[in-house]
Amino acid sequence: MEGLKEIDKAYITMPKGFKANGISADLKGNNALDVALIISDVPCNVAGTYTSNLVKGHSLVRSIDVINQNNKIRGIIVNSKNANACVGQVGYDDACDIAKTVASEIGCNENEILTASTGVIGSRLPADKIKAVIPELVKSLSIDEQAAHNAELAMMTTDTVPKEVSASVTLKNGKQVTISGMAKGSGMIHPNLATMIGIFTTDADIDSKVLNTLIHNAVKHTFNRVSVDGDTSVCDMVIVMANGESGVTIEEGTEDFTIFDEALTSLANDIAQMIASDGEGATKFIEIEVYGAKNEADAKLIVTSVARSPLCKTAFFGMDANCGRIITAVGYSGADFDPNKVDLDLSGLPVYRNGCAIDFDEDLAHELLTKHDINVKITLHEGEAYDRMYTCDFSYDYVKINGSYRS
C-alpha cells in the first residue's frame, strides 16, 4: 500500500508526543494490571465511533458527551473488570470523578480526559480504588515500549493476546507521520460499532471533522465486520487522537488524506483479524466472503448470517465439512437471491455448484478444516456486490468462559 510501512514493534506511544502506562487498582486481583492511561503532551483533536446498543455504559456516555462538545482532549483512562454500566447516575458521576482526578494530576480540565470501562455489567465501579492509583499512574507515564504494552494489558479482559499495531506513513511530499493502535476484544463481539475498545494515536495534525470521516471509513469494513458471538456490548468504542506533533497537516480531499485513510483502515483491519482470531475459546479464524450479490445490503446480510450461526461455528470447531449448514444460513439471511445459482467453496475446495451439493474429497476437506485459517467463499451470480466478515469457531471453552464470567 502506497506510503504505508508497518513497524515490527507496535505500541501506542510510537507517534510523537504520547505517553502511556498501566497499573493495578486491584480490580482483577493478583496484582494484575487493570487501569490504563494514554496521555498526549499537547491537546489533541479526537473523533470516535460507538456501540449502537441503546444501553450504553456510563463511562462511554460521558466520553461521547465530551467528544460531541468538540473539545480538544489530553487523553483517555480505561479500566477493565467492571463495565460501569446499568447502575444509574452514580455511574456517570464516578466516571466524572475519575476524569477529574486524572485532570488534576495532569494539569488540565476534566473535559480533556475521556473515560472508558469494560467488564461485568451491573455493578458499581470501585472508583475510589481507581482514583487512589491515579497519582502513581500519572507519574509513571512513559514513551517506553513496556509502558505502552502495560496500558494494553490493563485493558484486556478475556483476551489471551495483546492487540497492537503501528505504521509509519509517508505522504506525497515525503514527510512522515506515525499511527499506532491498540484494542481489547474477545467476547461480546458483533457489528454495529464498535465491537470492542480501540484506541488510535497519530502525530499528524488533523481537524476533528476530518478525523471523524477517517475513523468512520476505517471501521466500516474492519471492526464492523467482526463477529465472535453475535452479542453487541454496551461499553464499546473506537477513537482516534491526533496531536499534530509531527508538524504535518492532513486535509480532506487531498492525496495525503487518501494515503492516511488507507493506512488507518489497514491497521484497523489488522486489529479486526486479531480480535476474530482471539475470540473467546476460539481455535479457528474464519473469513466469510460473498461475491456476486445484487447489492451491498444483501452481501452484508449473508456474511453476517453465516458468521453468527452456532451450527456453522460448531461445525468449524469439529472440523466437519457440514456445508449444508452454511447454505442454510445463507438461505435465512433475508438476502434476495436464486438458490439454484449459489456456489460454495471451502478454503478453495468446491462443495456446492448451482445450489446443489457435489462430490468432494472428505479427507481433503477435513485436512483443510484442521488449519487455523479457514475461508468460506459464497458466490451468488446475481450482481457485482461483495462483502466479507471475520469470525471464529465455537469451542467447549466458549461456554466455560461465559458460564463463569462473573467469577
Side-chain angles (χ1 to χ4, degrees), residues 148-397:
H149 292 328
N150 288 344
E152 163 67 6
L153 293 171
M155 292 204 311
M156 291 165 53
T157 50
T158 57
D159 306 65
T160 65
V161 294
K163 300 166 180 71
E164 299 165 291
V165 292
S166 293
S168 174
V169 183
T170 303
L171 304 175
K172 277 297 179 182
N173 59 7
K175 293 183 178 180
Q176 292 187 331
V177 297
T178 303
I179 310 172
S180 288
M182 69 180 196
K184 63 81 52 182
S186 186
M188 293 190 83
I189 305 292
H190 194 64
N192 294 323
L193 241 282
T195 51
M196 27 67 80
I197 292 177
I199 300 168
F200 287 94
T201 57
T202 181
D203 50 21
D205 178 15
I206 308 175
D207 179 80
S208 292
K209 290 183 179 179
V210 179
L211 271 183
N212 192 60
T213 299
L214 287 163
I215 195 63
H216 279 80
N217 288 349
V219 304
K220 184 177 181 181
H221 288 287
T222 59
F223 297 130
N224 219 8
R225 289 297 186 274
V226 181
S227 180
V228 169
D229 48 21
D231 274 318
T232 301
S233 187
V234 303
C235 299
D236 302 335
M237 65 192 302
V238 179
I239 65 164
V240 56
M241 300 185 288
N243 66 9
E245 286 291 88
S246 68
V248 179
T249 301
I250 296 175
E251 297 179 342
E252 194 163 6
T254 64
E255 288 184 90
D256 286 345
F257 174 90
T258 300
I259 293 170
F260 190 95
D261 186 37
E262 291 177 351
L264 183 62
T265 299
S266 178
L267 293 179
N269 192 59
D270 288 345
I271 295 181
Q273 291 187 14
M274 293 177 193
I275 291 171
S277 185
D278 191 36
E280 288 175 342
T283 69
K284 309 289 181 186
F285 169 78
I286 303 156
E287 181 181 31
I288 300 160
E289 297 183 286
V290 167
Y291 291 83
K294 286 183 179 179
N295 51 56
E296 291 183 3
D298 280 347
K300 184 180 178 183
L301 282 171
I302 289 173
V303 294
T304 303
S305 183
V306 176
R308 72 186 307 172
S309 164
L311 289 178
C312 291
K313 293 161 77 71
T314 51
F316 291 127
F317 171 66
M319 295 168 285
D320 177 14
N322 190 346
C323 300
R325 293 183 177 182
I326 299 172
I327 290 292
T328 300
V330 173
Y332 65 61
S333 66
D336 181 23
F337 65 94
D338 182 351
N340 295 314
K341 296 195 294 186
V342 177
D343 296 340
L344 175 62
D345 297 80
L346 195 60
S347 290
L349 178 67
V351 293
Y352 273 72
R353 286 294 181 266
N354 300 316
C356 295
I358 61 174
D359 290 335
F360 61 88
D361 187 330
E362 289 278 1
D363 291 337
L364 175 57
H366 179 78
E367 180 183 344
L368 292 171
L369 292 176
T370 63
K371 300 182 184 301
H372 179 264
D373 292 359
I374 296 169
N375 177 267
V376 177
K377 178 182 177 183
I378 302 157
T379 308
L380 302 179
H381 301 289
E382 297 286 356
E384 301 298 326
Y386 167 85
D387 209 337
R388 59 109 175 84
M389 183 81 78
Y390 301 132
T391 190
C392 59
D393 58 340
F394 270 162
S395 71
Y396 306 125
D397 285 340

